[in-house]
Amino acid sequence: MEVLSYHGVCNSDEVNKLKKAVPQAESLQLLENFDFNAYSLSAVEKPLYAVYMFDTLFRDKFQYPHDDLIRFVLTVRKNYRVVPYHNWSHGWTVAHCSFVTLRKTHIFSLIEEIALYIACLCHDLDHRGKNNAYMKSMSTPLAMIYSTSVMEHHHFNQTVTILQQEGHNILQSLTREQYKECLSLMKHFILATDLALFFKNKDRMKEILTEGNFAWERKDHRSLAQALLMTSCDLVASAKPWSIQTDTVKVIFQEFYDQGDAEKKNGASPIPMMDREKAAEMPDLQVGFLQGSCLVCFDLISQVLPATTQLLDRSKQNLGKWKQLAAESKNKQLAIDIEIKKPDDNHHSEETTD
């Protein structure tokens, strides 16, 4: 464990390099908007702005050693694996969404805000580019440890492991009760990124909103809203400008197809979303995903947190474009099918002549 801890944390050179880096004024201004593009940042800038966002939210609210914050962020980066989508860039993007939301709202307590930001930054730690269904079907060690929300439980435990490393505990100034509450909320937030839980959460929130009795003061309502906000942050790629949305979808499907290839190699048949031989169905699949998950989630959270309405509006715009691409894809396929079924006139006349 000592050896693994040594190799799993950042080194002093990385810390010193980040301490010398200076945020760019232009980027800081853009950082305040949901539309910000994480792909525009360099390898040094991502952790730099992750630290900046934490400082902006919390430096005047509670005490934490700044070097510990730098070490924590750099070690979090190191513990994201090199996979197409569920990587450090995704974790950063989700944390940025929480940052913008917290800057626009004043509904959460300090402990809730800390837990949300850390959970977003760490929510996919050590992701292997494979979903829970794959983990279970392949009887992986993680699936044998956790019976539900396999990867999400692992992400949370990785987060706690990093906080426990020497020089990484950015929560050390909290009281015992505050610390306990913060960890409990972080677990709540990270588990909420399991889409299997989202469908139950959204049904309950729909019921509450239909009855018109949602209240932040009610613990169960507040917990539900927290979970849906976390899901919204996780799905924020669907609410980015079209160019960012399409770039992100490409890497998402690259990861899906990698899983599909692994399933085929193990004798299983992947679902269409993960079968690269059915890549032509991507626009249709995106339409279904946005309609069935993203828009529903953004709509619900915007009703209780109006400051997030931009997520709903932007995802609606993207849905319209995906529908257009889906229609074009169907037309092309129809044209191909007609071409295949169309008789060869010359060949037909030769046969008749013979």
Side-chain angles (χ1 to χ4, degrees):
M1 285 303 297
E2 182 186 357
V3 172
L4 289 173
S5 295
Y6 173 81
H7 289 287
V9 301
C10 63
N11 59 53
S12 57
D13 289 342
E14 292 173 308
V15 174
N16 292 331
K17 185 177 181 180
L18 190 58
K19 288 170 72 173
K20 294 175 183 176
V22 179
Q24 300 299 310
E26 183 181 351
S27 293
L28 295 184
Q29 187 175 0
L30 295 172
L31 208 62
E32 298 284 340
N33 193 285
F34 286 119
D35 286 347
F36 190 86
N37 183 9
Y39 295 117
S40 67
L41 298 177
S42 67
V44 174
E45 287 175 322
K46 279 195 186 75
L48 175 65
Y49 291 124
V51 168
Y52 168 83
M53 290 188 289
F54 190 95
D55 283 336
T56 301
L57 291 170
F58 306 120
R59 63 186 159 211
D60 297 326
K61 296 181 179 180
F62 83 109
Q63 298 297 314
Y64 52 90
H66 204 258
D67 282 9
D68 286 10
L69 173 61
I70 291 174
R71 275 189 287 269
F72 176 79
V73 168
L74 288 172
T75 296
V76 167
R77 179 183 68 170
K78 190 168 187 176
N79 280 267
Y80 272 97
R81 296 198 182 196
V82 181
V83 294
Y85 178 63
H86 289 98
N87 51 35
W88 163 240
S89 291
H90 171 61
W92 191 97
T93 299
V94 175
H96 170 256
C97 185
S98 73
F99 168 75
V100 176
T101 302
L102 293 176
R103 293 282 282 169
K104 293 176 178 289
T105 58
H106 305 283
I107 194 73
F108 298 108
S109 69
L110 171 62
I111 302 303
E112 287 172 326
E113 290 185 351
I114 296 170
L116 175 64
Y117 184 80
I118 294 175
C120 284
L121 193 68
C122 302
H123 80 284
D124 271 330
L125 275 172
D126 198 47
H127 201 291
R128 290 89 190 280
K130 306 291 190 294
N131 63 15
N132 287 336
Y134 180 90
M135 291 291 165
K136 291 177 181 178
S137 66
M138 295 298 146
S139 300
T140 63
L142 285 177
M144 297 174 72
I145 298 172
Y146 311 112
S147 58
T148 60
S149 301
V150 176
M151 291 308 301
E152 290 75 22
H153 275 102
H154 179 59
H155 304 321
F156 169 69
N157 285 329
Q158 285 292 107
T159 304
V160 175
T161 298
I162 292 174
L163 283 169
Q164 291 174 340
Q165 298 301 313
E166 184 178 355
H168 288 69
N169 191 358
I170 54 179
L171 306 178
Q172 60 186 266
S173 70
L174 300 181
T175 66
R176 184 173 181 176
E177 286 305 310
Q178 287 176 323
Y179 189 81
K180 185 178 178 181
E181 180 188 359
C182 195
L183 289 188
S184 177
L185 283 167
M186 283 162 52
K187 185 174 185 178
H188 171 59
F189 282 126
I190 292 176
L191 292 185
T193 61
D194 183 353
L195 277 181
L197 299 181
F198 161 70
F199 294 105
K200 184 167 64 175
N201 290 337
K202 60 101 173 172
D203 288 343
R204 177 62 182 135
M205 182 61 90
K206 277 184 178 180
E207 182 183 337
I208 293 171
L209 292 173
T210 300
E211 294 170 352
N213 62 359
F214 176 84
W216 282 102
E217 296 76 21
R218 284 191 54 171
K219 188 175 180 180
D220 57 335
H221 289 193
R222 193 178 189 88
S223 180
L224 195 57
Q226 290 169 346
L228 289 171
L229 175 58
M230 184 70 191
T231 305
S232 298
C233 291
D234 195 20
L235 297 175
V236 71
S238 298
K240 293 286 186 180
W242 180 245
S243 60
I244 305 174
Q245 153 78 165
T246 50
D247 285 345
T248 307
V249 168
K250 288 175 185 176
V251 295
I252 290 174
F253 273 84
Q254 181 184 340
E255 190 171 290
F256 284 169
Y257 295 152
D258 287 347
Q259 175 173 321
D261 293 344
E263 289 174 336
K264 289 179 181 178
K265 189 176 179 181
N266 285 282
S269 298
I271 60 175
M273 184 183 292
M274 298 185 178
D275 190 343
R276 68 174 68 250
E277 293 178 15
K278 298 180 180 178
E281 297 179 24
M282 182 197 291
D284 253 339
L285 293 169
Q286 277 301 109
V287 169
F289 178 61
L290 263 71
Q291 287 180 326
S293 299
C294 303
L295 263 71
V296 175
C297 186
F298 295 145
D299 178 46
L300 292 172
I301 199 62
S302 67
Q303 291 185 56
V304 295
L305 279 176
T308 63
T309 302
Q310 182 184 327
L311 301 178
L312 176 62
D313 295 340
R314 181 74 74 183
S315 60
K316 284 181 178 178
Q317 294 173 14
N318 289 336
L319 174 61
K321 294 184 178 182
W322 283 117
K323 283 183 174 179
Q324 183 179 346
L325 285 178
E328 292 173 0
S329 178
K330 285 180 181 177
N331 288 335
K332 286 179 183 177
Q333 187 61 48
L334 179 62
I336 291 171
D337 290 342
I338 292 173
E339 186 65 31
I340 291 172
K341 295 174 183 177
K342 182 180 178 182
D344 187 321
D345 292 337
N346 292 331
H347 181 65
H348 180 70
S349 60
E350 287 175 4
E351 286 182 338
T352 304
T353 302
D354 290 344

